[in-house]
Each structure stands twice: as structure tokens, then as C-alpha cells.
């Protein structure tokens, strides 16, 4: 494959130039909370460029896996419809850390372009920064001056941020010819389609300070990035990235699975092939790197990509999970160079299938809730409220795209303004909740602090409030003496009742105050051993280092967290009791709303097993057993087989035991005093997150009661709507299903009969225009059936121009089909549709054999038919 040859040729070339071949870093960014996904080759070398770390080499080369979807790189909706956009791509790169600079980088780039990529040297252009005379002169050794162009800062200057390393860059462009534009130079090629950029060379030579002043860096560096897919496209001389070998292999597999032939000219179906072939790469590589579809952050973006692929699969009649079927082809074409694809193929397949099944279930489950919403809107003669749409999406996972489609079917509108406002509010809350992650610290930051300050003492197991002294204040990653009104920052206390996030339990929230001065604590973390930081905002007054204050947690929230944490221990015990002692915890999350527990197990739990787990837990809750905690040596704990330990967890010499009598576990978290305080326990989800790893999500107390009430409400509403007692719901639903199936078969048979009669009548009423058979008719069928309907007509007529006008709600679809023999006589469907489009005030297009246009001007249909007759008369 050309793509494989270019990938390997690039790395081998730079290996011969004394570069270390560095494997692609994970798509999950390491130690960079500002990124959702790894999106450039330089990401893994960021600290090297910043001078924060060193490598054993000064020259490196990589082919980096990249994802650009979400955040500022959010072009997801364009993927599949343009010739360039992808969610996943490979970035080839070579890097110098204070070793070679412009001369060598430019020489390497030109040599690789011509002798490795095999590009025509006469079509290569270079751009340089407007003031970079050095680069301009260096390029003249390889290119004529007429093919070197200067651009300004927006195009040819790169910076890591507002302050820090920066420098001019030089881009390599390839002239694809007048077919793409009549622009004679990149200066005039505003779309970039003719002079296509394929490689960017960044010359890091300055450091920009807060005043925008730039000073030369002591060690100048090189960072380059070349898009593999784009280079392969240039090498293969194709118009679209989806025509390169990698995608054509995947598209061929999709053809086999869907049994639908790919035609790049088919604007209705070709995007589906493009979307699926791109998204499967993105999903497979991300999952292989440990990123799992979920409802938060990068997991949410991945789930959105997966569901988009599934939705486009429907266009290809793929209504059951299908993505996993494409994985073997992907592994065969890319697995030799990215072994993680093959290693994780089975696990990836399980996750993809689970997620697709979840999506289908979401659509099915949300259907009844959506129907309730539709019924209310119709009864009250109004649109679907933004609040209703948001709840369907936010609470029940029902996609807004599906809500809009179903609303349209019912002739209802959706208040999208309110929906979007609620979405933005939710995002803002999430953003604020995640702001803590934006403050990251070097190890030395707190290491030096602990040398001059005693450890922060956690007193929260015994007290919800303490009198404390402010040891330090941090603002914008710097120690300071004061924090004023409305300023966000960090306060470190000598002792605190606030539990710092650890062991799956979230950090406490609450208040630090003295008199009228108030600091709202939004989160508590422990970034370094012995240091507890309180992250929040001054909402009244100010706070000064060294002052005495009071610290008080949100007690009601803590009690809910304690109940959920103790319920997690109960769940761990119950799973071992019901499923077997092989159960081992693989992770957990505990907050005030719910608990999540991951564990090793080879298959899904049956409904009977889930109910048994709930039953034994609720029995222990009703027994109201005292929960005690005490400390013992880790050595002693290891000798006691009744005490559960978490595999892979690092324990200190002295450990804390949470003892419920029947269940003991090492844990440093907060727990309730009696099992009865948990109140009530219910599992609301059990799923697979990886091969051999299951996940249970559950809730307790009042939230568990609400879960039951919500379920009861659905049952009651179903019973009311179906007019049967609740105990006869299943019987009624099965009866309706059987009745619906029979009616569907009858309807299908009747529809086929009607279509057969319609075709028969159309064939009898063929109009001859000179020697050409013409069929024109207004019909009422599903627009999706127009193509197959016209093909059936041609099976009876053999030779004809077929023009059909199909009414769809308040508009109609104009469809033209031409038999092959008439195409040979230069009668083309797309020409005819272009001729009648102005008459019907519509827009359309197509191919020589089929074309269509849409319009709302019903009165012009006959005029359009007459125009076709006139054209045929003039042709013959």
C-alpha cells in the first residue's frame, strides 16, 4: 500500500539522518489537561520544547496518531462531506531539540518530498514568514524564487501560547493544477484547493513575554508536521482523501457489509461511506489507547462520533450493530505499524457493539418518553418545550437529532433556543467544575513548600468543622499573600475537615470563613503528599496568609457521599457473595449522586443476579450494622485474608480498615456510621467497559427511591395509554406487537399491489415524443422508493425518459430516470433537471442516469413536464 510505503519511508529516511524513531504517543494526552485528545506530533515533546524535561536524543521522528474533534478543532459535521476533513489522521514529523535548524529542516523536507514521497519537484512551492529572509534564501537552493511566497503572521508564524516559545514557519504546498483553480500563485488561491499544503516546518527561535517582546531562545528547535493522508492523496493524484488506499479498503468492506455499492458521485449515500470509514479509525485507535465512550469530556466526544457513524449506517440499511465488523479490515491495513490495533481488536469490538446496542436501546427507551412529550404538546396545542427536549437528551440520553426528526414526523416544532440555552448552562457548569484541572503544578512546586511547612492535617473523619490557620495562598500557579473579592485561587490550611479527592471519592465542598470574609470551596485535591489544597473563589471580603479561619464542609453533601461510599463496599461484598470470590475491584467513582463500581468478571450479570445483589445489600442496610474504622500495619493487613485490598493500589506502612463485621476493606475514604444510613440501594445500569471488565452504576437513599418512582411512572403512563391494568401490560404489549406485525404485512402486501397497479397504468400511458418513450406522472410514494420504483418501470418499458413528481408534506420531489440506450443518445437526467429547476423554483442535481430536485411550487409541475417534452422534441 502507498500509505504504508510513505509512512515507513519517512521514518527510515530520518533514521538514516541520525533521528531516533519515537513511537506515537497515546491519543489520551499525558499530563496536559488543556487537550481532549493528542492532536499534533509535538504534543509528546511539549515539555522538551519548554525546557522542563530532557530526552536522551536531540533528533526525533514520529508518525503520530491524532484526533481533531471537539474543542476549537470541531469540524465533526463537515467530515464525510468535504474532500479534506477527518477526525483521525496521522501526522508525520521530524524534530530537533537544540540541534539542527532551518538549513537542515528545509533540506530534509525537500529531499523527502522528492525522493521519499515521489512528488514532482516542479509542482512544489514554499511559503515563508514575511520577515524571514533566512528561510527565503535557504529555499532558493531547492526552488526557483518564483515558487517561494511570503505570508504574514496569521499564515506563517506559530506560537505555543500567548507567551512562551514561538517562531516563523514555512509551509510546503503542491500545485494540483488548473482543475482546482485558475490562481497562478498561493497568494490568490484563497481556498487552498489548488496549492495544497502538505507539510509545515516550525522554526522555534524566540520566546515571547507578557509584553509581547520576543527574545532569541538559547536553544533553537524544529517542529514539523506533515499529514500522511494528504500526502498519499497527492501521490495517488485523487481529488478526495476518501479515494486513498486506506479509505478505499475500508469502504470496500462497508460495501460488503451493507450490500450497497459505493459511488462517489451519489451525494445521498457517499457521505455515509465516508463518515463510517473515518469514524471507525477514530474509534478503534482511541479505544485501543484506553479512551472509552462515555457522557463526559473526551468520552462524550467519542460517543458522539460513534453515534454519528451509527446514524449514517442507517442510510445504508445497517440497523443492527455493524462497526465491529469493519475492525478486521482496519487491523489488516494498519495493524502492522500500530500493533495496539490488533492487540485490542476483540476488546474494541465488544465496546463498539455494546455502545451501538446502547444507542439502539436509548432510541427505543426514549421512544415512549418522547411519545408522552409529543402527546402533551399536541393536547396543549404547543411546540415541544426546550426544557422537555433537554430532559430527554440530558437525563435519558435521547439525541437531539432524533428528537427533531420525530417532532417533524408529528408536525411539531422544538423550542431550540431554550434547549441550546440549557445546553450551554450545563456546559458552563461542567466547565466550572473542571476548572480545577487547569491548575497543574510541577513536582518541585510543592516539594519545596513541604520543606518549610508542616503537613496539612486531615481532621474530617471526626469533625465537619475546624479552626485553622492559612499556611499558603496560590493564585495563578504562584504563591501570594492575599486573595481578594471575586478572585479564584487555592488556600492551604494547617488542618482541615475537607476530604481531598482520592481512591475514587470526590473532594469535599464547603466554606472557609472568618467574620464576613467567605471563600467558597468548590473542590479539594491533594497534588503532593502532605499537601491538601482547597480550590475556590472569594465571594466576600479577602483572605490573608497566616490568618486564623474556620473551615466547614457541606455536611449534607458529605453524608450522601459517605452513604454511597459505604454502599460501594457493600456492593463489593455482595458481588463476591453472588458471583464468586474471583471478583476484584478495577476502579470506582463515588460522589453525592451515585456510585460507579468496575470489577473483573467474564460476562454480563443476569437480571436474577442483579436482583440477588440488590437483595443482599438491602438486607444488610436494614440490619443497620455499625461501621467502624481503625488503623493497623500494612504487614498485619496482608496476613488477614478477610480484609479486601485493591489490586495495584499503593499502601503506606499504616493502613485504615473499614469494618462492617461481615465485610472488611482497606480504605481512606469517608463512610457512614451505620449501614442503615445508606437507606436503600438500587442498580440502574450494568455494562461492559472492556473485555472481562464489567461496570455497575447504582444509587442510594432518596435518589434510589426516585429511580423506582420514575420507573413506576413509565409503567403507569403505559397502562393508562393502553387502557389496561398494570399487571396486564406485558400481555397487552405482546398482543399489540403481534397485531402490528400482521398489519404491517398486510400493509406491505397492499402497498406492493398498489405499486404494481400504478406501474401497469404508467406503462400503458407511455407518451411518444418522436422515437422516445416519455412517462410523466404525479405520484404519492415514499421518496426513498423513487429510484427502485423507476427501475421497476424500466424493467417493463426497457427504453424511456421517466419524470415523476412525488409529494412530501408541503413540498415535492422531482425525480428523473433515463434508460441506458437514451444516455447513449445524449439524453441526460442531470441536464433535464437543470433545465426544469428554474421553472419549479427549485434546486437539484444528479448524474446522467438519475437526477432530482426539490420544490414547493406545486403549480409548476405541468410546466416542468411540458418543458421536458419540448426538449425531447428539439433533440429529435
Amino acid at each position: 500500500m502507498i500509505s504504508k510505503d510513505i509512512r515507513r519511508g519517512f521514518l527510515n529516511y530520518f533514521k538514516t539522518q541520525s533521528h531516533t524513531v519515537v513511537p506515537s504517543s497515546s491519543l489520551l494526552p499525558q499530563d496536559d489537561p488543556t487537550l481532549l485528545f493528542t492532536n499534533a506530533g509535538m504534543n509528546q515533546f511539549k515539555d522538551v520544547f519548554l525546557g522542563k524535561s530532557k530526552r536522551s536524543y536531540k533528533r526525533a521522528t514520529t508518525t503520530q496518531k491524532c484526533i481533531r474533534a471537539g474543542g476549537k478543532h470541531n469540524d465533526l459535521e463537515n467530515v464525510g462531506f468535504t474532500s479534506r476533513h477527518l477526525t483521525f489522521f496521522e501526522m508525520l514529523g521530524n524534530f530537533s531539540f537544540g540541534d539542527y535548524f532551518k538549513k537542515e529542516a528545509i533540506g530534509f523536507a525537500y529531499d523527502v518530498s522528492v525522493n521519499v514521497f515521489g512528488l514532482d519537484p516542479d509542482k512544489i512551492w514554499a511559503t515563508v514568514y514575511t520577515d524571514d529572509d533566512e528561510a527565503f534564501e535557504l529555499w532558493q537552493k531547492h526552488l526557483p524564487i518564483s515558487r517561494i511566497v511570503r505570508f504574514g503572521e496569521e499564515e506563517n508564524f506559530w506560537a505555543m501560547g500567548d507567551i512562551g516559545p514561538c517562531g516563523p514557519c514555512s509551509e510546503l504546498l503542491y500545485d494540483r493544477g488548473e482543475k482546482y483553480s485558475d490562481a497562478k500563485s498561493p497568494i490568490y488561491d484563497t481556498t487552498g484547493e489548488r496549492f495544497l499544503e502538505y507539510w509545515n516546518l516550525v522554526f522555534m527561535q524566540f520566546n515571547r513575554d507578557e509584553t509581547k517582546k520576543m527574545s532569541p531562545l538559547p536553544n533553537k528547535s524544529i517542529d514539523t508536521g506533515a499529514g500522511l493522508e494528504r500526502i498519499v492523496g497527492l501521490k495517488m493524484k485523487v481529488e478526495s482523501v476518501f479515494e486513498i488506499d486506506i479509505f478505499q479498503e475500508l469502504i470496500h468492506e462497508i460495501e460488503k457489509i451493507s450490500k450497497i455499492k459505493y459511488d462517489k458521485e451519489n451525494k445521498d449515500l457517499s457521505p455515509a461511506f465516508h463518515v463510517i470509514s473515518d469514524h471507525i479509525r477514530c474509534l478503534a485507535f482511541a479505544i485501543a489507547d484506553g479512551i472509552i465512550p462515555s457522557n463526559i469530556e473526551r468520552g462524550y466526544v467519542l460517543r458522539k462520533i460513534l453515534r454519528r457513524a451509527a446514524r449514517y449506517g442507517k442510510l445504508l440499511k445497517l440497523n443492527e450493530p455493524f462497526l465491529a465488523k469493519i475492525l478486521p479490515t482496519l487491523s489488516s491495513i494498519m495493524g502492522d505499524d500500530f500493533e495496539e490495533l490488533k492487540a485490542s481488536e476483540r476488546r474494541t469490538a465488544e465496546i463498539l457493539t455494546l455502545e451501538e446496542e446502547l444507542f439502539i436501546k436509548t432510541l427505543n427507551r426514549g421512544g415512549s418518553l418522547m411519545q408522552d412529550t409529543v402527546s402533551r404538546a399536541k393536547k396543549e396545542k404547543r411546540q415541544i418545550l426546550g426544557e422537555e427536549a433537554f430532559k430527554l437528551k440530558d437525563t435519558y440520553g435521547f439525541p437531539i437529532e432524533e428528537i427533531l426528526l420525530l417532532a417533524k414526523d408529528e408536525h411539531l416544532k422544538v423550542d431550540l433556543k431554550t434547549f441550546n440555552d440549557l445546553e450551554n448552562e450545563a456546559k458552563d457548569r461542567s466547565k466550572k467544575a473542571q476548572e480545577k484541572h487547569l491548575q497543574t503544578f510541577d513536582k518541585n512546586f510543592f516539594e519545596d513548600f513541604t520543606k518549610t511547612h508542616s503537613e496539612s492535617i486531615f481532621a474530617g473523619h471526626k469533625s465537619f468543622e475546624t479552626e485553622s490557620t492559612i499556611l499558603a495562598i496560590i493564585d495563578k500557579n504562584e504563591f501570594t499573600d492575599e486573595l481578594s473579592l471575586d478572585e479564584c485561587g487555592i488556600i492551604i490550611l494547617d488542618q482541615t475537615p475537607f476530604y481531598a479527592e482520592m481512591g475514587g471519592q470526590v473532594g469535599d465542598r464547603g466554606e472557609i470563613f472568618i467574620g464576613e470574609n467567605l471563600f467558597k470551596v468548590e473542590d479539594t485535591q491533594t497534588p503532593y503528599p502532605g499537601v491538601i489544597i482547597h480550590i475556590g473563589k472569594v465571594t466576600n471580603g479577602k483572605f490573608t496568609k497566616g490568618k486564623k479561619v474556620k473551615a466547614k464542609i457541606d455536611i449534607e453533601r458529605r453524608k450522601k457521599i459517605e452513604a454511597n461510599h459505604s454502599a460501594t463496599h457493600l456492593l463489593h461484598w455482595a458481588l463476591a457473595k453472588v458471583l464468586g470470590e474471583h471478583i476484584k475491584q478495577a476502579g470506582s467513582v463515588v460522589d453525592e449522586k451515585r456510585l460507579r463500581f468496575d470489577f473483573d468478571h467474564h460476562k454480563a450479570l443476569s437480571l436474577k443476579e442483579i436482583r440477588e445483589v440488590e437483595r443482599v445489600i438491602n438486607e444488610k442496610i436494614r440490619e443497620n450494622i455499625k461501621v467502624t474504622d481503625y488503623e493497623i500495619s500494612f504487614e498485619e493487613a496482608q496476613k488477614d485474608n478477610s480484609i479486601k485490598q485493591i489490586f495495584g493500589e499503593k499502601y503506606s506502612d499504616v493502613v485504615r480498615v473499614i469494618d462492617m463485621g461481615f465485610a472488611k476493606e482497606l480504605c481512606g475514604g469517608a463512610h457512614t456510621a451505620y449501614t442503615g444510613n445508606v437507606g436503600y440501594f438500587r442498580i440502574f445500569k450494568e455494562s461492559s467497559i472492556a473485555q472481562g471488565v464489567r461496570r455497575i452504576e447504582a444509587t442510594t437513599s432518596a435518589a434510589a427511591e426516585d429511580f423506582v418512582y420514575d420507573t413506576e411512572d413509565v409503567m403507569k403512563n403505559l397502562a393508562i395509554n393502553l387502557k389496561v391494568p398494570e399487571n396486564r401490560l406485558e400481555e397487552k404489549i405482546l398482543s399489540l406487537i403481534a397485531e402490528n406485525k400482521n398489519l404491517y404485512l398486510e400493509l406491505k402486501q397492499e402497498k406492493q399491489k398498489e405499486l404494481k397497479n400504478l406501474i401497469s397504468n404508467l406503462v400503458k400511458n407511455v407518451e411518444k415524443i418522436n422515437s422516445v418513450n416519455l412517462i410523466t406522472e404525479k405520484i404519492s410514494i415514499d421518496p426513498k422508493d423513487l429510484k427502485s420504483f423507476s427501475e421497476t418501470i424500466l424493467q417493463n418499458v426497457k427504453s424511456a425518459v421517466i419524470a415523476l413528481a412525488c409529494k412530501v408534506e408541503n413540498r415535492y420531489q422531482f425525480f428523473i430516470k433515463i434508460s441506458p440506450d437514451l444516455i447513449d443518445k445524449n439524453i441526460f437526467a442531470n441536464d433535464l433537471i437543470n433545465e426544469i429547476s428554474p421553472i419549479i423554483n427549485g434546486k437539484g442535481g444528479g448524474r446522467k442516469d438519475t437526477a432530482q430536485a426539490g420544490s414547493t411550487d406545486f403549480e409548476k409541475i405541468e410546466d416542468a413536464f411540458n418543458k421536458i417534452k419540448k426538449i425531447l422534441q428539439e433533440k429529435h
Side-chain angles (χ1 to χ4, degrees):
M1 293 179 69
I2 293 176
S3 55
K4 188 179 291 186
D5 293 341
I6 287 178
R7 181 189 300 118
R8 294 178 179 181
F10 181 89
L11 296 176
N12 288 335
Y13 173 88
F14 281 103
K15 186 177 181 180
T16 64
Q17 301 296 329
S18 303
H19 288 63
T20 297
V21 178
V22 181
S24 171
S25 65
S26 169
L27 285 165
L28 180 64
Q30 302 299 311
D31 302 319
D32 193 344
T34 63
L35 292 175
L36 274 176
F37 303 99
T38 299
N39 61 16
M42 63 81 61
N43 288 165
Q44 66 171 310
F45 304 117
K46 185 175 178 180
D47 283 351
V48 183
F49 286 125
L50 290 172
K52 291 183 178 180
S53 65
K54 292 184 178 180
R55 300 288 175 98
S56 59
Y57 45 82
K58 287 194 171 184
R59 297 184 175 195
T61 184
T62 66
T63 176
Q64 176 63 50
K65 301 173 292 188
C66 298
I67 290 178
R68 289 187 180 174
K72 69 177 183 179
H73 298 294
N74 191 10
D75 292 319
L76 184 58
E77 295 307 315
N78 289 325
V79 175
F81 292 89
T82 70
S83 61
R84 296 194 220 168
H85 284 102
L86 299 171
T87 58
F88 174 90
F89 63 96
E90 285 183 66
M91 185 176 284
L92 306 173
N94 58 291
F95 307 88
S96 167
F97 312 117
D99 187 29
Y100 63 81
F101 200 47
K102 293 182 185 179
K103 178 182 178 182
E104 294 83 353
I106 288 172
F108 289 150
Y110 182 79
D111 193 18
V112 169
S113 294
V114 175
N115 297 312
V116 177
F117 298 160
L119 299 179
D120 184 346
D122 293 333
K123 295 182 179 180
I124 296 174
W125 288 61
T127 70
V128 298
Y129 181 53
T130 184
D131 295 334
D132 194 351
D133 295 331
E134 181 186 2
F136 191 86
E137 290 178 12
L138 288 169
W139 270 117
Q140 290 178 49
K141 296 177 182 178
H142 309 285
L143 300 174
I145 197 169
S146 59
R147 296 211 307 271
I148 308 170
V149 183
R150 295 180 188 262
F151 278 104
E153 184 169 342
E154 186 176 342
E155 293 86 0
N156 278 72
F157 197 90
W158 182 91
M160 194 173 287
D162 292 334
I163 58 174
C166 59
C169 60
S170 179
E171 294 180 345
L172 280 78
L173 315 176
Y174 196 73
D175 183 0
R176 298 201 291 169
E178 294 181 357
K179 176 180 179 181
Y180 296 92
S181 168
D182 57 5
K184 302 300 182 185
S185 163
I187 296 173
Y188 308 109
D189 185 19
T190 55
T191 64
E193 286 293 333
R194 173 171 178 173
F195 297 93
L196 192 68
E197 177 208 341
Y198 67 91
W199 202 341
N200 188 20
L201 317 179
V202 177
F203 310 129
M204 283 193 219
Q205 63 185 101
F206 301 112
N207 185 64
R208 184 156 53 191
D209 63 20
E210 294 86 349
T211 66
K212 306 298 181 183
K213 181 183 177 182
M214 290 192 294
S215 306
L217 285 170
N219 294 311
K220 297 174 181 178
S221 298
I222 292 293
D223 160 28
T224 86
L228 173 74
E229 293 82 0
R230 192 169 288 189
I231 293 163
V232 175
L234 293 174
K235 177 71 175 175
M236 294 179 68
K237 298 179 180 179
V238 294
E239 295 182 10
S240 167
V241 70
F242 294 105
E243 295 178 67
I244 70 171
D245 51 9
I246 295 173
F247 288 108
Q248 284 300 300
E249 290 278 349
L250 293 171
I251 286 170
H252 181 60
E253 184 62 25
I254 298 166
E255 284 182 317
K256 289 197 289 186
I257 294 169
S258 66
K259 296 180 174 58
I260 294 176
K261 190 71 177 172
Y262 170 70
D263 178 0
K264 69 177 183 179
E265 300 300 329
N266 187 331
K267 303 307 179 185
D268 294 325
L269 292 184
S270 62
F273 287 94
H274 300 162
V275 166
I276 295 168
S277 60
D278 167 80
H279 289 8
I280 189 62
R281 290 209 311 164
C282 180
L283 292 163
F285 276 98
I287 293 171
D289 281 346
I291 306 171
I292 307 298
S294 69
N295 287 329
I296 58 170
E297 296 179 336
R298 56 184 64 87
Y300 174 74
V301 176
L302 209 60
R303 177 167 284 170
K304 189 174 180 181
I305 289 169
L306 187 147
R307 292 185 169 187
R308 187 170 186 256
R311 286 206 312 273
Y312 276 92
K314 287 184 176 183
L315 294 179
L316 303 180
K317 312 297 184 191
L318 297 170
N319 297 315
E320 297 295 328
F322 66 91
L323 290 171
K325 296 177 182 178
I326 312 172
L327 286 176
T329 299
L330 178 62
S331 294
S332 70
I333 60 179
M334 299 190 74
D336 290 342
D337 290 335
F338 297 96
E339 293 181 357
E340 62 271 26
L341 274 182
K342 290 183 176 179
S344 63
E345 185 178 324
R346 185 176 173 185
R347 173 174 171 267
T348 301
E350 288 184 358
I351 292 171
L352 290 176
T353 302
L354 178 71
E355 281 290 322
E356 286 186 271
E357 289 172 346
L358 176 64
F359 184 44
I360 292 168
K361 287 176 183 175
T362 297
L363 295 180
N364 293 338
R365 180 187 62 174
S368 60
L369 298 166
M370 180 68 187
Q371 195 55 51
D372 289 342
T373 303
V374 167
S375 298
R376 283 195 301 271
K378 282 189 167 183
K379 184 178 180 182
E380 297 169 17
K381 297 180 179 179
R382 59 169 172 80
Q383 64 181 342
I384 292 174
L385 303 177
E387 292 85 353
E388 293 172 324
F390 180 74
K391 184 177 181 181
L392 281 165
K393 190 249 181 198
D394 189 60
T395 306
Y396 301 104
F398 204 67
I400 185 61
E401 296 86 357
E402 301 295 331
I403 295 172
L404 292 171
L405 285 172
L406 290 171
K408 184 179 179 182
D409 290 343
E410 297 290 343
H411 308 291
L412 290 172
K413 292 184 178 180
V414 180
D415 179 6
L416 282 176
K417 183 182 184 303
T418 302
F419 172 85
N420 289 328
D421 289 343
L422 292 169
E423 275 274 88
N424 291 331
E425 287 174 16
K427 287 176 183 176
D428 288 341
R429 286 194 298 271
S430 176
K431 184 179 178 182
K432 288 175 182 176
Q434 298 299 324
E435 277 180 355
K436 61 182 183 286
H437 297 304
L438 298 179
Q439 300 210 44
T440 56
F441 305 92
D442 294 334
K443 178 184 175 184
N444 295 339
F445 189 89
F446 287 112
E447 188 174 40
D448 294 339
F449 174 80
T450 55
K451 290 177 182 177
T452 56
H453 295 79
S454 59
E455 289 189 358
S456 302
I457 298 171
F458 173 62
H461 285 321
K462 305 299 180 184
S463 176
F464 294 150
E465 183 176 344
T466 62
E467 291 189 358
S468 310
T469 301
I470 298 177
L471 295 181
I473 295 175
I474 302 171
D475 181 22
K476 298 180 179 67
N477 288 22
E478 291 184 355
F479 286 104
T480 185
D481 292 332
E482 191 173 273
L483 209 56
S484 301
L485 181 65
D486 291 333
E487 287 187 333
C488 295
I490 290 170
I491 291 178
I492 303 176
L493 304 174
D494 61 340
Q495 64 171 343
T496 177
F498 287 82
Y499 181 85
E501 182 176 333
M502 193 183 303
Q505 180 180 322
V506 297
D508 275 327
R509 297 174 188 163
E511 299 174 345
I512 296 174
F513 59 95
I514 185 70
E516 297 296 320
N517 303 290
L518 180 63
F519 180 84
K520 294 282 288 185
V521 179
E522 295 297 332
D523 192 19
T524 311
Q525 296 282 323
T526 176
Y528 191 82
V531 178
I532 298 174
I533 62 174
H534 307 79
I535 304 166
K537 181 179 181 180
V538 179
T539 59
N540 200 46
K542 64 180 182 178
F543 287 81
T544 307
K545 177 183 173 183
K547 292 289 185 179
K548 298 282 187 181
V549 292
K550 290 185 178 181
K552 182 179 180 180
I553 65 169
D554 181 335
I555 298 172
E556 184 178 348
R557 180 175 181 267
R558 165 74 85 81
K559 286 184 178 294
K560 291 178 180 177
I561 293 171
E562 289 176 346
N564 284 340
H565 202 155
S566 294
T568 305
H569 285 218
L570 286 169
L571 176 59
H572 196 176
W573 165 80
L575 287 169
K577 181 179 176 66
V578 174
L579 303 178
E581 289 300 325
H582 66 280
I583 296 297
K584 288 183 175 61
Q585 181 175 337
S588 68
V589 173
V590 176
D591 60 28
E592 71 275 23
K593 294 179 181 178
R594 51 133 199 184
L595 61 99
R596 191 180 79 196
F597 188 80
D598 301 337
F599 59 99
D600 297 334
H601 191 53
H602 61 284
K603 62 179 181 179
L605 274 68
S606 66
L607 181 59
K608 181 181 178 181
E609 289 169 333
I610 289 174
R611 286 180 175 171
E612 182 60 21
V613 168
E614 289 179 329
R615 186 174 288 111
V616 296
I617 289 174
N618 284 313
E619 283 176 2
K620 293 302 180 183
I621 291 172
R622 289 191 292 272
E623 288 177 27
N624 198 24
I625 299 164
K626 185 173 177 58
V627 180
T628 59
D629 67 286
Y630 48 86
E631 292 184 342
I632 60 174
S633 69
F634 182 53
E635 184 179 357
E636 184 181 350
Q638 285 181 303
K639 295 175 182 178
D640 189 341
N641 292 330
S642 68
I643 301 176
K644 289 187 183 294
Q645 301 173 30
I646 310 304
F647 176 76
E649 187 78 12
K650 293 181 180 179
Y651 292 105
S652 58
D653 293 337
V654 177
V655 292
R656 179 167 174 258
V657 180
I658 299 299
D659 191 344
M660 297 179 178
F662 59 92
K664 301 176 185 178
E665 195 166 325
L666 297 185
C667 181
H671 287 266
T672 191
Y674 291 88
T675 59
N677 294 334
V678 176
Y680 182 48
F681 176 91
R682 287 302 301 266
I683 293 170
F684 63 84
K685 184 180 178 182
E686 191 274 343
S687 61
S688 167
I689 60 166
Q691 183 180 349
V693 181
R694 308 297 302 177
R695 169 171 291 172
I696 281 179
E697 295 175 68
T699 189
T700 66
S701 195
E705 292 173 6
D706 288 340
F707 170 72
V708 175
Y709 295 149
D710 288 344
T711 306
E712 288 178 355
D713 287 345
V714 172
M715 298 293 287
K716 287 182 184 298
N717 289 334
L718 278 172
I720 291 168
N721 289 328
L722 296 176
K723 296 180 174 60
V724 293
E726 285 182 49
N727 61 358
R728 293 187 58 196
L729 260 178
E730 184 178 9
E731 177 188 341
K732 180 67 174 178
I733 289 171
L734 290 174
S735 172
L736 287 172
I737 290 171
E739 183 182 341
N740 183 66
K741 185 178 180 180
N742 290 332
L743 288 172
Y744 173 77
L745 290 173
E746 290 176 17
L747 185 64
K748 187 177 180 182
Q749 291 170 355
E750 190 62 30
K751 183 180 177 183
Q752 289 174 342
K753 184 178 177 182
E754 288 179 7
L755 289 177
K756 189 175 180 180
N757 291 335
L758 179 58
I759 290 171
S760 177
N761 290 331
L762 288 175
V763 171
K764 290 176 183 176
N765 296 318
V766 172
E767 185 177 357
K768 276 199 177 289
I769 307 296
N770 293 331
S771 61
V772 177
N773 292 329
L774 174 64
I775 296 174
T776 59
E777 188 67 37
K778 300 175 191 175
I779 59 174
S780 296
I781 65 171
D782 190 326
K784 291 183 290 187
D785 296 331
L786 281 169
K787 187 171 182 290
S788 60
F789 182 74
S790 62
E791 288 170 350
T792 306
I793 294 174
L794 283 181
Q795 289 174 7
N796 290 272
V797 182
K798 306 302 181 187
S799 174
V801 172
I802 301 171
L804 305 172
C806 178
K807 187 176 180 183
V808 187
E809 295 179 0
N810 61 343
R811 57 188 294 275
Y812 68 87
Q813 196 74 12
F814 212 102
F815 184 88
I816 297 177
K817 176 75 175 176
I818 309 291
S819 59
D821 63 306
L822 296 181
I823 293 174
D824 293 339
K825 296 179 180 179
N826 295 323
I827 300 175
F828 302 141
N830 51 348
D831 286 346
L832 293 177
I833 211 76
N834 288 334
E835 289 286 345
I836 67 168
S837 288
I839 296 172
I840 61 175
N841 296 317
K843 292 182 179 180
R847 303 173 307 183
K848 292 180 179 180
D849 61 334
T850 57
Q852 53 189 323
S855 177
T856 57
D857 199 341
F858 293 93
E859 297 177 358
K860 299 294 185 180
I861 295 175
E862 290 299 333
D863 292 345
F865 288 155
N866 290 330
K867 179 64 175 178
I868 292 173
K869 293 177 186 177
K870 185 177 179 182
I871 292 170
L872 294 178
Q873 287 169 345
E874 292 173 352
K875 277 186 175 289
H876 297 271

